[in-house]
Amino acid sequence: MTDSWATFGADLHVELRGPGLRSGLMDALREAVRTGRLAPGTRLPSSRSLAADLGIARNTVADAYAELVAEGWLTARQGSGTRVARRAAPRPGPGTGVRGGSRGASRGGAQAGPVPVRRPPVRRPAAHTLHPGTPDLGSFPRGEWLKAARRALTSAPHEALGYGEPHGRIELRTVLADYLARARGVYAHPDRIVVCSGFVHGLRLMAQVLRGRQVRDVAVESYGLDIHWNLLTEAGLRTPALPFDEHGTRVGALGRQGAVLMTPAHQFPLGGALPPDRRAEVVDWARRTGALILEDDYDGEFRYDRQPVGALQGLDPERVVYLGTASKSLTPGLRLGWMVLPEALVGDVLAAKGHSEWVSSALDQLTLAEFIRSGAYDRHVRGMRLRYRRRRDQLVAALAERAPDIRVTGIAAGLHAVLELPPGMERSVVQSAAWQGLAVQGLDRFRHPDVPPGRDALVVGYATPTDSAWAGALDALCRALP
Amino acid sequence: MTDSWATFGADLHVELRGPGLRSGLMDALREAVRTGRLAPGTRLPSSRSLAADLGIARNTVADAYAELVAEGWLTARQGSGTRVARRAAPRPGPGTGVRGGSRGASRGGAQAGPVPVRRPPVRRPAAHTLHPGTPDLGSFPRGEWLKAARRALTSAPHEALGYGEPHGRIELRTVLADYLARARGVYAHPDRIVVCSGFVHGLRLMAQVLRGRQVRDVAVESYGLDIHWNLLTEAGLRTPALPFDEHGTRVGALGRQGAVLMTPAHQFPLGGALPPDRRAEVVDWARRTGALILEDDYDGEFRYDRQPVGALQGLDPERVVYLGTASKSLTPGLRLGWMVLPEALVGDVLAAKGHSEWVSSALDQLTLAEFIRSGAYDRHVRGMRLRYRRRRDQLVAALAERAPDIRVTGIAAGLHAVLELPPGMERSVVQSAAWQGLAVQGLDRFRHPDVPPGRDALVVGYATPTDSAWAGALDALCRALP
């Protein structure tokens, strides 16, 4: 421990009182780095010993450290513990080509006190978040992934590292075709798969293709994500909302729209599966009118209480554009998704993708191909299904005990649940959660602007916390409920 | 060796005669797989033994195998050699959700003869290519990269695997700021760096920003890449060409354009550096008119005969948008590039990048950050500089000996050279090269449509072949020259 910690650590106890321990600790550390009170390179005590020292939970310290590492204030390296980041030397002046001082400094022991860089203010994250849409990042199988990367990169031909082709790597498309047929009932073939950097990229490409085909309206569901609606709007498409009843989206209301964007296997965020008669009905509509169905299969792998609902795409591969992603099943950081396209659309989508430099990392594509091929993907999905199911059961049990009036729906599948609230309570519950340091979203957040306000509810992403943060998040949720 | 190879191999000698051995071998193997003559899973002889068997160079066989692996006809796995790919079972019928047979088959020994999938015809690549724009893919430091990936992924906080932020990972921006200041004289700071998926992505973002600011014209150089001009045109921008003389682009001709796209450190493809007075002149123009300079620093690291030319951006970081990439220094397959922006543009570029899902793989960003931080990037660039310089010297020596009338220019830097041809010869030399199995491009290919035809020349990308293919490519080039 260097001297700069010794003097700072002595004061630290005083500054940490009351609620918001973790964010308080983060603020104190940030300020100390910013002002130079903690010198660059200073080694921090282990999370265990600082936690004991401060009389707080070790996870609180570990989480604060991790977040500060992520923000660039601290660095963590195996074997050398957590340290204050050695930030860049004073900015090089224009035209001088001055060497930044950090390389030299990062080797030496003593520092000449490089000027800490003032970063723009960071929005302080809540202590816990139950926002839907992110898997448990702590469960990303780093070791297995690295093994697959080694195998993939060792055996890849040199050519695989080049600019590649707009479809994406053939290795990945080949294993995806097999996997999607097997796991999701998708009629897939490598030639009609186009790799993209996630659902949003795929939707952007489709928006471009639809506009090019003079489509004006893409129907959407009553509840969904504003980023998807906005993307379509920015591409010049209108997004009329379809009505919704207790069985799900009323596809019978579809008319002259050129396409519909749907989550048939697991409505986001309400959680139901589109019933079989409506599946048939929407496909009939598309056939009759020549329209397209954009199927957002964002979490199709995660089903708990019943047989998986296969992809709608299997019903008519020439009318359904299937969009899948590794963002929920593995991690959003991969930025890999896939489209399975009607044969007639492949050319248009490739043209929309552009004439060169096709976005997705070849190394990651090769690694994911090997990860799927070797069976590691199936094992990971199976393991996560059990873990998420356990969390869901813990959520249901905790609510039954501590908030027995709250009905939980949409829990047969996926990574989130809907907690029905008494009328008029949604906003106050979200606020009360914020006071508990819990970020959680109300259903209103997901309501299409055309749809009148209806039920009050929370959309709880129970997959989002890491294992160590889950119990605290669940507790904060229960405390926030009426 | 299975029986299906034994019968096929016996015929193979007969089919391979004359020139184009490699593509002949590839055709024969493709056809045998397509027709089922070589059964899925069949193990092929090693490249060494097949080469000896056929009396041809081992590299010819190895290259043919590698290309067929890349195309998906064969698979190569360490320890189990090269095999005929086990292609998917017959396509699943619509709505059946049939399990594809390939997973089962890929474990069993005997095959029930899955129907080979007919792929669309593949354009047969030339035996050699000297197209500029691609580094030697065989030199990608796979082992060092995997080590960096392991270190990066082991120490990354969980949060680093999430959706991230639109700037790109702070770890990468921090090391880039240091590296670019040190190696390229760029006035860089993590807050003004935005990670993108390569130059084209960065240019697309800038085109959007410029259009949003009511810019109509982006001046370009007389010679460059049509994909860049087309991208700007598709974004609604005109691309008037600046005149060019023996000192380079005549920036004095700049007028009311809102921006100029340039390669000041190493003109692409002609190869000169913009002289100091013109560097000052273009910056003065930008200051005077409020215009922006888009600096394409595609291969700034590779200089041979003189001091590196620093980035123009250092002269005025508020008027120059610096665009760099790992595509030439490491590999295009990474799909990673970076923009260093005037402070006033950061918000606009982030908005153009979109509201979510920011394209670049977090895993690769973390790995590249660690690769740079550990010094491996500097070592790799130094090593490649020596190798490319050696190739350039070999090119110059071979031409001096075998085509002494050809003048070589643009060779002080970069990964390509310009071979000046006698007037009127360009097209016939390109064609004669094609007959030799060599893909090479004439200067005309890089001429802006506004610029009248001028010099006849070849643009030779001497970095493009792998080490094993280099001698053959050079020989084919010399044979094609007048």
Side-chain angles (χ1 to χ4, degrees):
Chain A
M1 222 58 57
T2 69
D3 279 348
S4 88
W5 176 267
T7 56
F8 171 72
D11 291 342
L12 189 57
H13 307 262
V14 185
E15 292 169 9
L16 288 172
R17 293 199 190 288
L21 271 179
R22 171 156 149 281
S23 55
L25 176 59
M26 287 177 63
D27 280 356
L29 288 169
R30 271 198 212 97
E31 190 57 23
V33 175
R34 186 185 284 126
T35 57
R37 194 164 171 195
L38 282 181
T42 302
R43 183 171 180 156
L44 271 54
S46 72
S47 57
R48 188 185 303 275
S49 87
L50 181 56
D53 219 1
L54 298 174
I56 62 180
R58 185 188 172 193
N59 280 339
T60 306
V61 180
D63 287 353
Y65 279 13
E67 203 139 356
L68 291 169
V69 167
E71 291 177 2
W73 298 95
L74 307 180
T75 59
R77 306 214 59 73
Q78 271 201 324
S80 85
T82 306
R83 290 175 182 276
V84 176
R86 295 164 199 278
R87 310 197 68 85
R91 300 181 178 203
T96 57
V98 177
R99 286 164 179 268
S102 68
R103 165 156 303 256
S106 72
R107 294 212 179 112
Q111 287 81 47
V115 179
V117 171
R118 198 169 288 269
R119 305 186 70 229
V122 177
R123 199 174 61 81
R124 200 162 79 195
H128 295 292
T129 173
L130 289 169
H131 287 186
T134 304
D136 171 8
L137 299 174
S139 296
F140 178 70
R142 301 184 185 206
E144 284 293 318
W145 182 262
L146 285 164
K147 282 187 207 160
R150 177 163 300 276
R151 290 193 304 268
L153 209 46
T154 307
S155 64
H158 294 323
E159 171 273 339
L161 307 177
Y163 280 100
E165 55 177 82
H167 290 76
R169 294 294 318 163
I170 179 67
E171 296 87 342
L172 179 57
R173 291 184 286 119
T174 304
V175 295
L176 276 175
D178 170 47
Y179 174 79
L180 293 173
R182 184 160 56 75
R184 304 291 304 124
V186 170
Y187 177 101
H189 183 273
D191 292 342
R192 47 166 81 198
I193 295 180
V194 171
V195 176
C196 54
S197 76
F199 175 80
V200 164
H201 184 211
L203 185 61
R204 187 169 291 141
L205 295 173
M206 279 311 304
Q208 222 173 309
V209 168
L210 290 170
R211 279 302 290 131
R213 298 186 160 214
Q214 310 309 325
V215 167
R216 285 253 153 233
D217 294 284
V218 176
V220 299
E221 297 180 284
S222 290
Y223 291 86
L225 281 174
D226 54 359
I227 52 169
H228 300 168
W229 305 324
N230 294 342
L231 186 160
L232 293 169
T233 307
E234 281 162 21
L237 294 156
R238 287 183 297 243
T239 59
L242 292 172
F244 195 89
D245 63 22
E246 70 275 22
H247 304 297
T249 295
R250 284 177 45 207
V251 296
L254 281 163
R256 305 178 63 107
Q257 301 91 341
V260 59
L261 169 63
M262 297 192 76
T263 49
H266 186 227
Q267 208 284 328
F268 186 87
L270 291 173
L274 195 69
D277 55 331
R278 295 196 181 175
R279 287 165 66 96
E281 193 179 0
V282 67
V283 169
D284 283 346
W285 164 79
R287 285 182 178 154
R288 200 172 57 239
T289 64
L292 286 170
I293 302 165
L294 312 182
E295 176 173 26
D296 177 4
D297 194 40
Y298 62 104
D299 67 357
E301 277 102 345
F302 297 109
R303 310 241 126 227
Y304 310 119
D305 296 338
R306 52 187 160 84
Q307 279 302 303
V309 178
L312 191 66
Q313 190 264 9
L315 291 182
D316 192 339
E318 305 308 335
R319 300 254 58 92
V320 182
V321 173
Y322 175 91
L323 295 132
T325 173
S327 295
K328 313 295 183 260
S329 58
L330 274 168
T331 172
L334 259 185
R335 307 293 345 111
L336 282 177
W338 39 87
M339 316 171 75
V340 187
L341 295 162
E343 205 150 4
L345 278 187
V346 174
D348 283 8
V349 168
L350 295 180
K353 225 180 160 189
H355 304 295
S356 69
E357 307 201 2
W358 295 289
V359 174
S360 298
S361 158
L363 308 188
D364 289 343
Q365 290 185 66
L366 294 167
T367 302
L368 180 57
E370 170 60 22
F371 194 80
I372 297 174
R373 193 208 58 78
S374 68
Y377 189 81
D378 284 86
R379 283 195 302 277
H380 177 66
V381 166
R382 272 199 304 273
M384 293 314 294
R385 201 183 287 131
L386 291 177
R387 294 171 78 149
Y388 290 144
R389 183 187 178 137
R390 201 178 313 131
R391 285 207 190 169
R392 183 204 62 166
D393 294 345
Q394 287 163 348
L395 170 68
V396 171
L399 291 173
E401 190 190 319
R402 296 176 57 182
D405 295 340
I406 304 289
R407 201 164 66 94
V408 194
T409 61
I411 54 173
L415 313 180
H416 66 272
V418 176
L419 276 54
E420 308 285 349
L421 298 172
M425 292 290 289
E426 184 176 308
R427 183 185 293 238
S428 67
V429 170
V430 169
Q431 284 207 332
S432 133
W435 290 327
Q436 309 275 355
L438 171 69
V440 66
Q441 291 171 320
L443 181 59
D444 191 57
R445 165 90 187 59
F446 302 95
R447 192 168 44 78
H448 190 280
D450 294 353
V451 176
R455 308 140 71 174
D456 283 60
L458 294 184
V459 179
V460 170
Y462 53 79
T464 306
T466 57
D467 271 348
S468 60
W470 164 238
L474 184 54
D475 180 57
L477 175 67
C478 290
R479 273 186 281 121
L481 288 171
Chain B
M1 223 59 55
T2 68
D3 278 348
S4 87
W5 176 266
T7 56
F8 171 72
D11 291 342
L12 190 57
H13 307 261
V14 185
E15 294 169 9
L16 288 170
R17 293 201 190 286
L21 272 179
R22 171 155 148 283
S23 55
L25 176 59
M26 287 176 63
D27 281 355
L29 287 170
R30 273 199 210 94
E31 190 57 24
V33 175
R34 187 184 284 127
T35 56
R37 195 166 170 194
L38 281 181
T42 303
R43 183 172 181 155
L44 270 55
S46 71
S47 56
R48 187 185 303 276
S49 88
L50 180 57
D53 219 1
L54 299 174
I56 63 179
R58 185 187 172 191
N59 280 339
T60 306
V61 180
D63 287 353
Y65 277 13
E67 203 139 356
L68 290 170
V69 167
E71 292 176 1
W73 297 95
L74 307 180
T75 59
R77 307 216 55 75
Q78 271 202 321
S80 85
T82 305
R83 291 175 182 275
V84 176
R86 296 166 198 277
R87 311 198 67 86
R91 301 183 177 201
T96 56
V98 176
R99 288 165 177 266
S102 69
R103 164 153 302 253
S106 72
R107 296 214 177 110
Q111 287 79 46
V115 178
V117 172
R118 199 169 289 269
R119 305 186 71 229
V122 176
R123 196 174 63 83
R124 200 162 80 194
H128 295 293
T129 172
L130 289 170
H131 287 186
T134 304
D136 171 8
L137 300 174
S139 296
F140 178 70
R142 301 184 185 204
E144 285 293 318
W145 182 262
L146 285 165
K147 281 186 207 160
R150 177 165 298 277
R151 290 194 304 268
L153 209 46
T154 306
S155 65
H158 294 322
E159 170 273 340
L161 308 177
Y163 279 99
E165 53 177 84
H167 290 76
R169 293 296 315 165
I170 179 66
E171 295 87 342
L172 178 56
R173 291 184 288 120
T174 304
V175 296
L176 277 174
D178 170 47
Y179 174 79
L180 294 173
R182 185 161 55 77
R184 304 292 304 124
V186 170
Y187 177 101
H189 183 275
D191 292 342
R192 47 167 81 200
I193 296 180
V194 171
V195 176
C196 53
S197 75
F199 175 80
V200 164
H201 184 212
L203 186 62
R204 186 168 292 143
L205 295 174
M206 279 311 304
Q208 221 174 309
V209 168
L210 291 170
R211 279 303 291 128
R213 297 183 161 218
Q214 311 306 324
V215 167
R216 286 253 153 232
D217 294 284
V218 177
V220 299
E221 298 180 284
S222 290
Y223 292 87
L225 281 174
D226 55 358
I227 52 168
H228 300 168
W229 305 324
N230 294 341
L231 185 161
L232 293 169
T233 307
E234 282 162 21
L237 295 156
R238 288 183 297 245
T239 59
L242 293 171
F244 195 91
D245 64 22
E246 69 276 23
H247 304 297
T249 296
R250 285 176 46 206
V251 296
L254 281 163
R256 305 179 64 110
Q257 300 91 341
V260 59
L261 170 63
M262 297 193 76
T263 48
H266 187 227
Q267 207 285 326
F268 186 87
L270 291 171
L274 195 68
D277 55 331
R278 294 196 182 175
R279 286 165 67 94
E281 194 179 359
V282 67
V283 168
D284 283 347
W285 163 79
R287 284 182 178 153
R288 202 172 57 240
T289 63
L292 287 170
I293 302 166
L294 312 183
E295 176 173 25
D296 178 4
D297 194 40
Y298 61 104
D299 66 358
E301 278 100 346
F302 298 109
R303 308 241 127 227
Y304 311 119
D305 296 338
R306 51 184 160 87
Q307 280 302 305
V309 177
L312 190 66
Q313 190 264 7
L315 291 182
D316 193 340
E318 305 308 333
R319 300 253 57 93
V320 182
V321 173
Y322 175 91
L323 296 133
T325 173
S327 295
K328 312 296 184 260
S329 57
L330 273 169
T331 173
L334 259 185
R335 307 296 342 112
L336 282 177
W338 38 86
M339 318 172 73
V340 186
L341 294 163
E343 205 152 3
L345 278 187
V346 174
D348 283 8
V349 168
L350 295 181
K353 225 180 160 191
H355 305 293
S356 70
E357 306 200 4
W358 297 290
V359 175
S360 298
S361 158
L363 308 188
D364 288 344
Q365 290 186 66
L366 293 168
T367 301
L368 179 57
E370 170 60 24
F371 194 81
I372 297 174
R373 193 207 58 79
S374 68
Y377 189 80
D378 284 86
R379 283 196 301 279
H380 177 67
V381 166
R382 273 199 304 275
M384 293 314 294
R385 202 184 285 130
L386 291 177
R387 294 172 79 149
Y388 291 144
R389 183 187 178 136
R390 201 178 311 132
R391 284 207 189 168
R392 183 205 60 166
D393 294 344
Q394 288 164 347
L395 170 68
V396 171
L399 292 172
E401 189 189 320
R402 298 176 57 183
D405 295 339
I406 303 290
R407 200 164 67 93
V408 194
T409 60
I411 54 174
L415 312 180
H416 66 272
V418 176
L419 276 54
E420 309 284 347
L421 298 172
M425 290 291 288
E426 184 175 308
R427 182 185 294 237
S428 67
V429 171
V430 170
Q431 285 207 332
S432 133
W435 291 327
Q436 308 275 355
L438 171 69
V440 67
Q441 292 172 321
L443 181 58
D444 190 58
R445 164 90 186 61
F446 302 95
R447 192 169 43 79
H448 190 280
D450 294 355
V451 176
R455 311 138 72 173
D456 283 60
L458 293 184
V459 180
V460 171
Y462 52 80
T464 305
T466 56
D467 270 349
S468 60
W470 166 237
L474 185 54
D475 180 60
L477 175 68
C478 290
R479 275 187 278 121
L481 289 171

